Amino acid sequence: MTEQLYHQVVTIAEEYLGPAADRFITRQITFHFDKPPQELTAADIPKLVEWTKVTLGLITEDRQVVEEFTRKMAALANH
Amino acid sequence: MKHHQWKYARISLILVIAGWIIYATLNLLAPQTTSARYQLSPTQTLLLQISVYTPLLIIWVLAIRGATAFKSYSLLLQGGREARAMSLIGTGLLWTVVYLLSSSLTGAIVPYFQGTQWLETAVTVRNHAPAWTALIAFGLLYLGSRRLSQVAPFATWNAATIILLIGYGLFAAGFANTFLAAGTETRFGIPSYALPHQVLLFTMLLPYLLAWFLGLLAAINLTRYAAQVKGVLYRQALRYLVLGVLSVVIFAVIVQVLSLASRFFLGFDLARLLFTVYVLLALYGLGFWFVNLGARNLARIENAP
């Protein structure tokens, strides 16, 4: 289930980060949660959303894209 | 954010600057064929040379910085699906810088062999080194661009590419025919070639023609990759990179076509030659500047904590 969640996050991220998505999400999880990406749980999603928002702010100034991306990711916490 | 740099970036920059110093020195100390040709005074010749070498240094530095920025970016992708493709493109871009240096340096050294038994060898090296360097550069760019189809599926060959092939085939046939029909040219005691045209057709012209076509295919592949690949932010960052690589490929091809044609069968007057060289060099440099910008934008995604 947790590995499936990780893949769902990567699939959303691919819409915005293309081939860099997998590396981006893996880095976020290992760096901020100190655990393998496959062990991502629904409880981690809100914190992951916050970190992603901060990190994307360093990459783009397009707030709309950042909001859209993180809103989709946040929805995974309810699944 | 961390800034990863290709470990040979600094030494590459030093080598390019050293190459420029050698090139400028060779030309400044060479027999003044330019002044004789265009009846210029020594002061006018010196000013002319400074006006050419200074922008040339800027172009070369922009080129090596763009190519090493791309190479640095490709190293961040280790393990990624596009890693090998981007690495090949980065190496191809580095070879386009080697082309810039080899074509200039081999051309600058030839006058020093005037009147010696080595003149024909020097002319042969000058004619072949840039051709084979261009083939390696564009071959690598093509191979890298082709591999990108494993990341975002696209087809190189479709109706538009076939039309391009036919058009290019006609151009190549016309170019080869004009080359074969051109007479022997010796300017200020330096022959334009030292081997029969029939031999040069295969050893020099064919590598050029193949290189230019591979360069055009690489440009097509990159454009299609940029249109097909997923990722809103990735595509935004990729835009400058693609624009840069396209400019480098297209202007490199134009520079090579013109320099080859002017050496063998076209006569330019000084004003037109200088204008053409300035415009092309500026656009070429701009292409590498875009490569640098694009590579740094993409590296921001890879370096984001």
Side-chain angles (χ1 to χ4, degrees):
Chain A
M1 178 59 198
T2 53
E3 191 163 348
Q4 191 187 343
L5 182 64
Y6 164 73
H7 288 300
Q8 284 174 320
V9 172
V10 170
T11 304
I12 291 169
E14 273 183 349
E15 290 176 43
Y16 301 90
L17 298 171
D22 193 6
R23 291 186 294 271
F24 179 86
I25 297 299
T26 299
R27 216 165 41 245
Q28 293 293 307
I29 298 168
T30 50
F31 194 76
H32 299 299
F33 295 87
D34 197 24
K35 63 180 177 183
Q38 292 77 12
E39 290 178 17
L40 183 75
T41 65
D44 297 326
I45 294 293
K47 194 179 165 191
L48 181 64
V49 166
E50 287 311 308
W51 278 117
T52 302
K53 211 178 264 189
V54 171
T55 310
L56 285 180
L58 300 171
I59 296 171
T60 180
E61 289 172 5
D62 192 336
R63 304 311 305 167
Q64 204 181 332
V65 168
V66 176
E67 284 302 319
E68 189 184 290
F69 182 1
T70 49
R71 195 176 57 246
K72 285 182 186 174
M73 204 191 275
L76 292 175
N78 306 324
H79 282 244
Chain B
M1 275 185 229
K2 287 179 287 177
H3 180 64
H4 295 276
Q5 200 178 43
W6 182 48
K7 63 178 174 179
Y8 301 114
R10 189 178 291 268
I11 189 75
S12 303
L13 180 64
I14 292 168
L15 284 174
V16 164
I17 293 172
W20 177 82
I21 293 169
I22 293 167
Y23 174 67
T25 309
L26 283 172
N27 275 302
L28 288 169
L29 301 178
Q32 297 299 310
T33 50
T34 309
S35 56
R37 185 174 177 186
Y38 297 107
Q39 286 136 19
L40 301 174
S41 70
T43 313
Q44 285 173 318
T45 307
L46 183 66
L47 287 174
L48 178 70
Q49 286 174 327
I50 290 169
S51 73
V52 171
Y53 302 145
T54 310
L56 201 66
L57 175 65
I58 297 168
I59 304 300
W60 286 12
V61 168
L62 278 175
I64 195 63
R65 285 185 64 85
T68 54
F70 194 104
K71 196 68 190 167
S72 301
Y73 161 67
S74 74
L75 292 176
L76 294 171
L77 309 176
Q78 279 173 359
R81 285 177 297 159
E82 76 277 44
R84 184 75 187 131
M86 292 298 187
S87 177
L88 283 168
I89 292 172
T91 310
L93 285 172
L94 285 170
W95 274 94
T96 63
V97 183
V98 176
Y99 164 80
L100 280 177
L101 265 78
S102 74
S103 60
S104 300
L105 287 172
T106 55
I109 209 160
V110 169
Y112 289 88
F113 290 96
Q114 212 171 340
T116 72
Q117 58 173 329
W118 299 102
L119 180 62
E120 289 194 350
T121 308
V123 168
T124 303
V125 170
R126 178 198 64 184
N127 287 344
H128 287 82
W132 287 93
T133 315
L135 182 59
I136 293 170
F138 290 144
L140 287 167
L141 285 173
Y142 170 73
L143 287 176
S145 71
R146 190 73 205 96
R147 269 181 177 256
L148 286 174
S149 67
Q150 293 170 5
V151 182
F154 62 83
T156 303
W157 292 97
N158 61 12
T161 323
I162 301 289
I163 291 168
L164 175 79
L165 176 65
I166 294 167
Y168 186 78
L170 292 172
F171 160 78
F175 199 89
N177 197 42
T178 313
F179 172 78
L180 284 173
T184 308
E185 278 229 38
T186 301
R187 293 173 187 167
F188 307 102
I190 299 170
S192 53
Y193 54 86
L195 292 172
H197 269 149
Q198 287 78 3
V199 175
L200 284 174
L201 179 68
F202 292 99
T203 60
M204 185 193 73
L205 199 63
L206 204 60
Y208 265 128
L209 290 171
L210 186 59
W212 298 338
F213 190 61
L214 289 175
L216 293 175
L217 287 182
I220 289 171
N221 284 344
L222 277 171
T223 313
R224 290 184 182 159
Y225 172 71
Q228 293 295 324
V229 73
K230 280 184 185 173
V232 179
L233 298 174
Y234 179 79
R235 276 204 302 271
Q236 279 175 9
L238 189 71
R239 195 183 306 150
Y240 285 118
L241 195 72
V242 172
L243 186 64
V245 177
L246 290 187
S247 308
V248 168
V249 169
I250 289 165
F251 293 116
V253 169
I254 295 172
V255 166
Q256 288 167 24
V257 170
L258 279 181
S259 60
L260 201 62
S262 66
R263 185 179 304 156
F264 289 99
F265 50 78
L266 283 183
F268 285 119
D269 61 66
L270 183 61
R272 200 194 302 172
L273 183 67
L274 270 183
F275 179 75
T276 311
V277 167
Y278 276 129
V279 170
L280 288 172
L281 284 180
L283 293 170
Y284 204 50
L286 193 66
F288 274 108
W289 185 73
F290 277 128
V291 168
N292 196 341
L293 195 63
R296 284 172 190 279
N297 283 346
L298 283 165
R300 281 168 74 191
I301 296 178
E302 301 298 334
N303 282 326

